[in-house]
Each structure stands twice: as structure tokens, then as C-alpha cells.
Amino acid sequence: MDDIILKPVGHVLNSVKTKKDDSWGGDISKIVLSDEYCGGLAGLEDFSHCIIIFYLDKAEYIKEKHLQRRPRNREDMPLTGIFAQRGKDRPNHIGITCVEIVSVTDKELTVRGLDAVDMTPVLDIKPYFPDYDKRDASVPEWVTRLMQNYF
């Protein structure tokens, strides 16, 4: 298979300078679009939430360490494979988070709850459509414990 090349549409501006594992809920981030995408946010102000797809440029996937591990390296979590968790150190360094929209301008999107550090490249922005995105889903018990102070 050929390599896939993606070009960021913008980048994150916030006060989070280093990777962290929780307490993202109060963080406010601006997503600043590259000039060529100015105007691409038009209409997004009518939505309450959107999905941010970003490149985890500070991720360090090491197969021996991350292929199977305990989420956040917590001893009270089960040993699971990388594709059964949302860990930041992933094979393809892709992050995705549904966030609350705070404000929208021609070139900037301000959001709450984006779990990305300052200057993270943003690959795409999609409006949250409940018909597409909301599902009656179940998760293992440990996920509830893991997420207690995340947002």
C-alpha cells in the first residue's frame, strides 16, 4: 500500500504545553485555519459541537510498549490492545475528539474540551451530526473508571 499524505488545515492554540492524561474539560483551544481554508467554517456557528481530527505529532508509538498495555499505565486497568483504547501513542498518531463550539470566526474556531496540546496540527473539522455520530453503545466497566476526571 502506498503512503498516505495529509496536509493540516490549521493548528491548535492553547495553554497546554505538554501531554497530559486528564482534566481536559475546562481547556479552551483555538483552531487557527491556514489561509487557504479561510471561509471554510461558515455555518459551523449553528452547531453546538464538532469533531476535530488531529495529528498527534508528539506521540511515540513503540510496539513493545504500546501494542498491548494498561490504559494510561494504570494498574487498576486491564491489559488491552492499542485498538481497544484511545491512547495517544498510536501507530498512525491520529486523534479525534468531539468538542463544544465556543465561537466561530472566518479563520478561527474556539472550542472546549479538545485533548490536544498547543500547536498540534489539525487535519479536519466536521460538524457533529447526532444521526451519524450518536449511538446506543456499550463499553466495558473499566472505561467508566478511566474517564472519571478526563473532561
Side-chain angles (χ1 to χ4, degrees), residues 44-135:
L44 194 59
E45 68 277 1
D46 296 330
F47 291 84
S48 66
H49 290 76
C50 64
I51 297 169
I52 308 299
I53 302 163
F54 49 100
Y55 183 69
L56 298 162
D57 60 321
K58 293 176 179 48
E60 299 177 46
Y61 178 76
I62 301 165
K63 180 181 176 184
E64 296 76 22
K65 183 176 178 182
H66 298 112
L67 184 63
Q68 288 189 358
R69 69 176 189 119
R70 296 180 191 284
R72 292 196 216 146
N73 296 312
R74 286 178 35 178
E75 287 300 317
D76 64 326
M77 295 291 131
L79 184 65
T80 61
I82 189 64
F83 303 122
Q85 53 184 284
R86 300 280 297 254
K88 58 189 165 289
D89 295 309
R90 312 189 63 74
N92 280 316
H93 302 198
I94 300 295
I96 180 170
T97 304
C98 182
V99 297
E100 178 185 355
I101 295 171
V102 175
S103 66
V104 180
T105 68
D106 194 46
K107 186 173 176 152
E108 292 182 357
L109 170 63
T110 304
V111 300
R112 179 179 289 111
L114 179 61
D115 52 348
V117 300
D118 191 49
M119 298 306 295
T120 296
V122 174
L123 301 174
D124 206 349
I125 301 166
K126 295 178 179 275
Y128 178 83
F129 280 27
D131 290 339
Y132 291 142
D133 302 315
K134 185 178 177 182
R135 298 289 183 258

